[in-house]
């Protein structure tokens, strides 16, 4: 008897106009996107920036040991960590090679520069444009563009060039953003 009453009461409530309004009404909880936080005057949270540049699992600031682990996934010969200041990574079945430079020969040395050579070109520039926007031309290097990415503390430089075999190639450099250039950029 109680179950029948509860079922009947639930159906009657759902059929009433007030209940129907509650079911279809929606409202936003929290601040309106782009508005100041209530009572604080602080700006609303900014959208998440695009990810930091990295390809083949390599990024500026990685330790030597970790970068070798990443390289070994696509090039089994890199399973053994070496103490060279510069290592050439040639991933299997990929159209690129990467020159990886370290700060020192220590095992805990950090990656300080990456130079990618894509032969043949793979349309890397279009992806960079989509992610980071149009770069700044580099006056000293015709055809080269540069992007300062302060939230990642890196600078990227890109150009389309010619290989030793006179074929078109793409080149990408990823380097730490120096304090001097970051300060000049903010002005």
């Amino acid at each position: 008897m109680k179950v029948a009453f509860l079922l009947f009461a639930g159906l009657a409530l759902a059929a009433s106009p007030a209940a129907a309004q509650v079911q279809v009404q929606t409202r936003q909880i929290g601040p309106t996107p782009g508005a100041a936080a209530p009572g604080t005057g602080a700006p609303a949270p900014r959208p998440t920036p695009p990810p930091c540049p990295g390809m083949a699992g390599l990024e500026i600031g990685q330790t030597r040991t970790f970068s070798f682990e990443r390289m070994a996934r696509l090039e089994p010969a890199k399973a053994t960590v070496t103490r060279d200041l510069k290592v050439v990574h040639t991933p299997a079945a990929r159209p690129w090679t990467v020159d990886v430079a370290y700060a020192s020969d220590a095992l805990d040395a950090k990656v300080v520069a990456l130079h990618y050579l894509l032969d043949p070109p793979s349309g890397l520039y279009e992806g960079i444009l989509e992610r980071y926007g149009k770069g700044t031309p580099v006056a000293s290097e015709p055809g080269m563009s540069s992007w300062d990415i302060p939230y990642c503390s890196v600078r990227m430089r890109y150009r389309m060039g010619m290989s030793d075999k006179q074929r078109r190639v793409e080149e990408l450099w990823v380097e730490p953003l120096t304090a001097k250039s970051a300060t000049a950029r903010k002005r």
Side-chain angles (χ1 to χ4, degrees), residues 101-146:
Y102 296 94
S104 72
D105 64 353
L107 283 175
D108 63 347
K110 305 275 189 202
V111 173
V112 294
L114 299 166
H115 173 231
Y116 298 90
L117 179 66
L118 287 83
D119 184 9
S122 65
L124 179 64
Y125 186 68
E126 288 76 21
I128 293 171
L129 285 176
E130 183 178 313
R131 185 177 280 185
Y132 303 108
K134 187 173 179 176
T136 304
V138 177
S140 62
E141 291 281 336
M144 183 177 285
S145 294
S146 175

Side-chain angles (χ1 to χ4, degrees), residues 14-110:
S16 74
Q21 280 185 336
V22 171
Q23 289 178 354
V24 296
Q25 288 180 344
T26 59
R27 65 179 195 160
Q28 180 175 338
I29 305 297
T32 304
T40 65
R46 294 182 185 191
T48 304
C52 293
M55 198 161 71
L58 298 170
E59 293 181 26
I60 297 296
Q62 289 176 335
T63 63
R64 177 186 302 274
T65 306
F66 185 73
S67 66
F68 268 81
E69 288 173 12
R70 301 300 293 226
M71 289 187 281
R73 292 180 179 180
L74 297 173
E75 185 182 4
K78 294 291 188 255
T80 303
V81 178
T82 66
R83 291 180 174 247
D84 299 331
L85 289 176
K86 187 175 179 185
V87 174
V88 177
H89 174 42
T90 309
R94 298 288 198 262
W96 65 75
T97 59
V98 187
D99 293 331
V100 183
Y102 296 94
S104 72
D105 64 353
L107 283 175
D108 63 347
K110 305 275 189 202

